[in-house]
Amino acid sequence: MLKADNIVSLRQYYAVILIVWFCILVLIARYFQIQIISFDTYKKKANTNRIRKITTNAPRGLILDRNGEILVDNNPTYVLIAIPGELSQKGEKFGLISNIIGLDSNMVSKNYKKYYRGKFIPTRLAKDLTFEQVSKLEENKFDLKGIYYQQFPERYFPSKIRASHVLGYVKEVDKEIRKSLFSREEYELGDMVGWNGLEKKYEKYLKGSRGVYFYQFDAYGREMGKVTDLKPQPADPGQNIITTLDLNIQHDVENLMKNKKGVILVGISKSGEILAAVSSPDFRPDLFTGRMSENEWKNVLFHPEKPLINRFNQGLYPPGSIVKMITQSRLLQNQNFNPDEVYKCEGNYQFGDRLFGCWREKGHGDMNLSSAIINSCDIYFYKTINYYDLDMLSESFKMFGFGKITNVDILNESSGIVPSSRFMNQRYGNFGWSKGAILNICIGQGEILVTPIQVLNFTNLLATNGSAGTPHFVMVDNLPQNVEPKLNLEVWSQIKQDMENVIIHENGTGKIANPYLKNARVFGKTGTAENPHGKDHAWFIGWISFKRELYSVVVLMENAGSGGTKAAPIAQQVFKSIYKHTIKQEKL
Amino acid sequence: MIKKSNLDFKELNLSLYFLAFFLVFIGLTALNSISQQYDEKFLSSPFIKQILLLIPSFIFSILVLGIPKSQIHKYVYHLYFIGIILVILPFLFEKHAGTHRWLQIGLPFMIQPSEFAKLFTILALARYLSDHNLQMKKFKSIIFPIIIAIIPTGVVMNQPDLGTSIVILAPVIPMLYWSGANSFYLFLIIAPFLSMLTVFHNVAFSIWALILAITIILSRTTLIYSILLFFSNIFLGLLSPVLWGLLSKYQQNRIITFFNPEKDPLGAAYHIIQSKTAIGSGGLFGKGWGEGTQTHLKFLPVQESDFILSVLSEELGFICILLLLLIVGVLIHSIIRNSFLSKDRFSSLVLIGIATIFLSHVFVNTAMTVGLIPVKGLPFPFVSAGGSFLFTSFLMLGLAINLSSNYSE
């Protein structure tokens, strides 16, 4: 156990003691040197020279359209800051400041409380000062000890478009937001962080990294220049991002939707690039910058039509007849089904004890599969439901990307609903629903709900025989994998032929959408979706083909009425706009 | 059979507690001054936290007094292995603040297992060196003790925590010296490191070369050996800038950040300047308690632990620092004295180990505040706020007092 005797010699003891006191002595000597010998130097340094670490905000990267036009830029503004520890007679100073810059003095002290993080940390008092305001403050410098100003790059929108739901906005980081951020040590209070749309999705590219400078100040708060023995680190601006948007088409579709409620999406079918996207009503993109007034904010927040909601990404709508091509493809996959067989439409159809009507009350007469698509007859589809079951139909919907997010590069996408028998059992109980449910779902009504961005992807897939890129707003190298519906070539061409007839046939429901353009072919389908929230939603989907390129269009007019009369005329304008602006560019 | 130890409190060297509490009091003075900034959040201020931590720390310290020496001796290897497991555990969980230093055990605070590893390593070393009647004059006898210390050091270094890993390794040399290892061999172990470090500074390297030469001459080895030892060290030193130059910029940066864990090198230099200005402007008597007008000081992110001496010297002056360092000197001196007077070798070795840990913390922390060394992140014993270390400090103190008494069993 503890048998071993201690064998430390007196010599060893003294040697160690000597080392201990030598170390202590070195430390005392160093403190003596700094505190006693160099006291005057350091005292002077402490009293007359204060080194302050000043961080400058990096300008965020710009957001450009597909042709390099600037959509989102930075505007240098000034922010006013205070060092609380150097501030005396706060009330008086805040009063003087509010006099000079014309801001409520309550607002100044409110900001002071909001941004306060410590006695010696710069605290923001006001932002968006103009150069004139800053120079007036400069004149009163001696009455404003402890008050400083900094340049601050703020977002501004030089182009004629709004695209507010695509571009999104930045939000000022406050204590709450900072807590919620993933990489919070990179943000300071008062910084800007992408909060929505592309600004949020591409935050890490747009953000850049802040710069650090060291300045000396004297006891009067006068800047004595940069500190030379500390290396400054200039701010690194964020990366620019190039969007797929086309400024001119976006401008046109925004005008088409003015004072209307709904969505227009325009895209290149093959690549999935989105040329224009509007969710109406929208809001001014610079709403969140500058000195937004309380009223303006309330107007947007409590607007009955909820302009802040991104309808094309989050809005859930019954698709109506625009998805009849999925039912068509389902029927064509069955070997026993004969597309030329004629079913008579008498305007209504008795199923069990319920009467289902066609949208055309007097009926369409004799219909085969093609004419049912062209005329958008409902009864034909009611009479053919025996060729598949609910789960086969829901499989087809899923094959075209419904019921799950498209992975478009704007966050918070809704996934929609594609009812399967499992879904119906869960919602209504095992015997709570009947086969009659298919009658609704096969014409895009009932439990099925879709987002307009899913519909755009669906349109792209129809136009490209099932091989379209995932819809996206920013030119990137790696797109997420899109769904790849597999159908026989004959089925694809049948669908296309019928969709072209929707536009050019004399009975076609979408013939108003025909822009009558040279060397261009137009395909389409209308939809009139009944919904529990008022008048029917008007849908139009389709694409225009010219110069070996395909451009998809999705129009949704909320509570507007029938697709053929309300959405199709808008679509016609959109086709014209696409034609005009893409032809023009090729000449350049 | 374990005999009940006839522990007599009169025999215990309780004056060590008085010294420690004096240090704690000085620390609390500074913490209270800092905590003024906390206004309404005073209850979550470092001052209150420190007081709340002192209570369990002191209770455990007293409990350690009652454990018989033989029991401690019996279980040190178990403790050592628990220590190794504890420092490996954080690697199994998510990183905290970018490192694997802390363990979240469902308490409102996190524990830093490497603090316990310090104590457990010296206990294991002490037992190994006292149980085996080693031929300490032979070079190979010092290999195994070094391995005992290297294992936890390596793990902690990977956490990464350079400061703590140095403290774990530091007691090896004095403990070997204490158990009679050839001091010239010990010198040879340290020499290459010093050669490589001093070469970057002309004066330091010259002084080092002189010390090296004198030590080798005094060791009275053969001429060829002496020349070989001297020049191999000098060459190693001279070679290190060349080796450094061979590294890519990226690798160099990684090493620099390793030795200077502050992520932002600008930040570190800035802190040292602010710390020195605060200290220097304090003068002989300081600016008065709570009157630390040096705004810069308040920018220091860890003023309640790493830079607490800067706060003290600005507000209470050189007098306070002098007092503080003298008290800590007396404390360490007393532990070493008890180690020398101890009858059994095990106790003696543990005591010298504890003294080394305290001294290395004091030296690294204090030297850092005045810019003598770049490494940071080690708290000042009993003064700095900081949970796990305050706790182990009291544990070590209790152990030191226990082992200092030569009671019979």
PDB file of all heavy atoms in Angstrom, chain A residues 312-326:
ATOM      1  N   PHE A 312     -48.750  30.969 -55.492  1.00  0.00           N
ATOM      2  CA  PHE A 312     -48.321  29.898 -56.403  1.00  0.00           C
ATOM      3  C   PHE A 312     -47.559  28.806 -55.683  1.00  0.00           C
ATOM      4  O   PHE A 312     -47.409  27.704 -56.164  1.00  0.00           O
ATOM      5  CB  PHE A 312     -47.543  30.451 -57.614  1.00  0.00           C
ATOM      6  CG  PHE A 312     -46.318  31.259 -57.301  1.00  0.00           C
ATOM      7  CD1 PHE A 312     -45.153  30.653 -56.888  1.00  0.00           C
ATOM      8  CD2 PHE A 312     -46.331  32.644 -57.466  1.00  0.00           C
ATOM      9  CE1 PHE A 312     -44.020  31.405 -56.631  1.00  0.00           C
ATOM     10  CE2 PHE A 312     -45.206  33.393 -57.218  1.00  0.00           C
ATOM     11  CZ  PHE A 312     -44.040  32.781 -56.783  1.00  0.00           C
ATOM     12  N   ASN A 313     -47.069  29.114 -54.484  1.00  0.00           N
ATOM     13  CA  ASN A 313     -46.286  28.139 -53.741  1.00  0.00           C
ATOM     14  C   ASN A 313     -47.091  27.486 -52.625  1.00  0.00           C
ATOM     15  O   ASN A 313     -46.888  26.325 -52.315  1.00  0.00           O
ATOM     16  CB  ASN A 313     -45.107  28.866 -53.101  1.00  0.00           C
ATOM     17  CG  ASN A 313     -43.812  28.207 -53.391  1.00  0.00           C
ATOM     18  OD1 ASN A 313     -43.741  27.377 -54.262  1.00  0.00           O
ATOM     19  ND2 ASN A 313     -42.781  28.575 -52.663  1.00  0.00           N
ATOM     20  N   GLN A 314     -47.943  28.284 -51.999  1.00  0.00           N
ATOM     21  CA  GLN A 314     -48.624  27.813 -50.798  1.00  0.00           C
ATOM     22  C   GLN A 314     -50.117  27.661 -50.981  1.00  0.00           C
ATOM     23  O   GLN A 314     -50.769  26.990 -50.196  1.00  0.00           O
ATOM     24  CB  GLN A 314     -48.368  28.789 -49.641  1.00  0.00           C
ATOM     25  CG  GLN A 314     -46.924  28.832 -49.226  1.00  0.00           C
ATOM     26  CD  GLN A 314     -46.663  30.034 -48.330  1.00  0.00           C
ATOM     27  OE1 GLN A 314     -46.861  31.170 -48.726  1.00  0.00           O
ATOM     28  NE2 GLN A 314     -46.215  29.785 -47.124  1.00  0.00           N
ATOM     29  N   GLY A 315     -50.671  28.319 -52.017  1.00  0.00           N
ATOM     30  CA  GLY A 315     -52.109  28.276 -52.210  1.00  0.00           C
ATOM     31  C   GLY A 315     -52.558  26.891 -52.650  1.00  0.00           C
ATOM     32  O   GLY A 315     -51.950  26.274 -53.523  1.00  0.00           O
ATOM     33  N   LEU A 316     -53.625  26.365 -52.040  1.00  0.00           N
ATOM     34  CA  LEU A 316     -54.136  25.041 -52.410  1.00  0.00           C
ATOM     35  C   LEU A 316     -55.478  25.214 -53.113  1.00  0.00           C
ATOM     36  O   LEU A 316     -56.392  25.832 -52.568  1.00  0.00           O
ATOM     37  CB  LEU A 316     -54.305  24.178 -51.156  1.00  0.00           C
ATOM     38  CG  LEU A 316     -52.982  23.734 -50.529  1.00  0.00           C
ATOM     39  CD1 LEU A 316     -53.230  23.029 -49.203  1.00  0.00           C
ATOM     40  CD2 LEU A 316     -52.229  22.817 -51.479  1.00  0.00           C
ATOM     41  N   TYR A 317     -55.574  24.682 -54.332  1.00  0.00           N
ATOM     42  CA  TYR A 317     -56.779  24.883 -55.129  1.00  0.00           C
ATOM     43  C   TYR A 317     -57.245  23.553 -55.702  1.00  0.00           C
ATOM     44  O   TYR A 317     -56.419  22.684 -56.014  1.00  0.00           O
ATOM     45  CB  TYR A 317     -56.475  25.819 -56.304  1.00  0.00           C
ATOM     46  CG  TYR A 317     -55.970  27.177 -55.892  1.00  0.00           C
ATOM     47  CD1 TYR A 317     -54.606  27.417 -55.778  1.00  0.00           C
ATOM     48  CD2 TYR A 317     -56.864  28.209 -55.625  1.00  0.00           C
ATOM     49  CE1 TYR A 317     -54.144  28.664 -55.399  1.00  0.00           C
ATOM     50  CE2 TYR A 317     -56.408  29.464 -55.256  1.00  0.00           C
ATOM     51  CZ  TYR A 317     -55.047  29.690 -55.133  1.00  0.00           C
ATOM     52  OH  TYR A 317     -54.597  30.911 -54.758  1.00  0.00           O
ATOM     53  N   PRO A 318     -58.582  23.394 -55.909  1.00  0.00           N
ATOM     54  CA  PRO A 318     -59.036  22.251 -56.694  1.00  0.00           C
ATOM     55  C   PRO A 318     -58.652  22.505 -58.153  1.00  0.00           C
ATOM     56  O   PRO A 318     -58.833  23.626 -58.633  1.00  0.00           O
ATOM     57  CB  PRO A 318     -60.551  22.276 -56.498  1.00  0.00           C
ATOM     58  CG  PRO A 318     -60.879  23.668 -56.071  1.00  0.00           C
ATOM     59  CD  PRO A 318     -59.673  24.232 -55.407  1.00  0.00           C
ATOM     60  N   PRO A 319     -58.085  21.523 -58.857  1.00  0.00           N
ATOM     61  CA  PRO A 319     -57.603  21.799 -60.200  1.00  0.00           C
ATOM     62  C   PRO A 319     -58.706  21.816 -61.268  1.00  0.00           C
ATOM     63  O   PRO A 319     -58.550  22.441 -62.312  1.00  0.00           O
ATOM     64  CB  PRO A 319     -56.619  20.666 -60.475  1.00  0.00           C
ATOM     65  CG  PRO A 319     -57.089  19.547 -59.609  1.00  0.00           C
ATOM     66  CD  PRO A 319     -57.730  20.161 -58.414  1.00  0.00           C
ATOM     67  N   GLY A 320     -59.818  21.132 -61.036  1.00  0.00           N
ATOM     68  CA  GLY A 320     -60.856  21.082 -62.058  1.00  0.00           C
ATOM     69  C   GLY A 320     -60.376  20.366 -63.309  1.00  0.00           C
ATOM     70  O   GLY A 320     -59.479  19.504 -63.246  1.00  0.00           O
ATOM     71  N   SER A 321     -60.916  20.749 -64.442  1.00  0.00           N
ATOM     72  CA  SER A 321     -60.714  19.985 -65.678  1.00  0.00           C
ATOM     73  C   SER A 321     -59.292  19.989 -66.220  1.00  0.00           C
ATOM     74  O   SER A 321     -58.986  19.230 -67.138  1.00  0.00           O
ATOM     75  CB  SER A 321     -61.641  20.512 -66.769  1.00  0.00           C
ATOM     76  OG  SER A 321     -62.961  20.486 -66.300  1.00  0.00           O
ATOM     77  N   ILE A 322     -58.407  20.858 -65.703  1.00  0.00           N
ATOM     78  CA  ILE A 322     -57.051  20.886 -66.265  1.00  0.00           C
ATOM     79  C   ILE A 322     -56.300  19.583 -66.024  1.00  0.00           C
ATOM     80  O   ILE A 322     -55.276  19.337 -66.641  1.00  0.00           O
ATOM     81  CB  ILE A 322     -56.213  22.070 -65.726  1.00  0.00           C
ATOM     82  CG1 ILE A 322     -56.184  22.056 -64.202  1.00  0.00           C
ATOM     83  CG2 ILE A 322     -56.740  23.392 -66.260  1.00  0.00           C
ATOM     84  CD1 ILE A 322     -55.153  22.982 -63.604  1.00  0.00           C
ATOM     85  N   VAL A 323     -56.824  18.728 -65.119  1.00  0.00           N
ATOM     86  CA  VAL A 323     -56.120  17.463 -64.885  1.00  0.00           C
ATOM     87  C   VAL A 323     -56.817  16.289 -65.594  1.00  0.00           C
ATOM     88  O   VAL A 323     -56.488  15.141 -65.360  1.00  0.00           O
ATOM     89  CB  VAL A 323     -55.963  17.154 -63.376  1.00  0.00           C
ATOM     90  CG1 VAL A 323     -54.979  18.116 -62.748  1.00  0.00           C
ATOM     91  CG2 VAL A 323     -57.302  17.218 -62.663  1.00  0.00           C
ATOM     92  N   LYS A 324     -57.771  16.600 -66.467  1.00  0.00           N
ATOM     93  CA  LYS A 324     -58.465  15.505 -67.178  1.00  0.00           C
ATOM     94  C   LYS A 324     -57.511  14.675 -68.036  1.00  0.00           C
ATOM     95  O   LYS A 324     -57.779  13.507 -68.321  1.00  0.00           O
ATOM     96  CB  LYS A 324     -59.590  16.056 -68.046  1.00  0.00           C
ATOM     97  CG  LYS A 324     -60.880  16.281 -67.244  1.00  0.00           C
ATOM     98  CD  LYS A 324     -62.017  16.735 -68.115  1.00  0.00           C
ATOM     99  CE  LYS A 324     -63.263  16.995 -67.285  1.00  0.00           C
ATOM    100  NZ  LYS A 324     -64.157  17.955 -67.949  1.00  0.00           N
ATOM    101  N   MET A 325     -56.392  15.284 -68.439  1.00  0.00           N
ATOM    102  CA  MET A 325     -55.432  14.531 -69.241  1.00  0.00           C
ATOM    103  C   MET A 325     -54.813  13.386 -68.437  1.00  0.00           C
ATOM    104  O   MET A 325     -54.360  12.399 -69.001  1.00  0.00           O
ATOM    105  CB  MET A 325     -54.317  15.433 -69.777  1.00  0.00           C
ATOM    106  CG  MET A 325     -54.738  16.325 -70.923  1.00  0.00           C
ATOM    107  SD  MET A 325     -55.721  17.725 -70.351  1.00  0.00           S
ATOM    108  CE  MET A 325     -54.470  18.794 -69.712  1.00  0.00           C
ATOM    109  N   ILE A 326     -54.785  13.542 -67.112  1.00  0.00           N
ATOM    110  CA  ILE A 326     -54.271  12.453 -66.282  1.00  0.00           C
ATOM    111  C   ILE A 326     -55.261  11.282 -66.313  1.00  0.00           C
ATOM    112  O   ILE A 326     -54.877  10.123 -66.494  1.00  0.00           O
ATOM    113  CB  ILE A 326     -54.012  12.938 -64.838  1.00  0.00           C
ATOM    114  CG1 ILE A 326     -52.852  13.945 -64.845  1.00  0.00           C
ATOM    115  CG2 ILE A 326     -53.721  11.773 -63.918  1.00  0.00           C
ATOM    116  CD1 ILE A 326     -52.537  14.545 -63.507  1.00  0.00           C
TER     117      ILE A 326
END
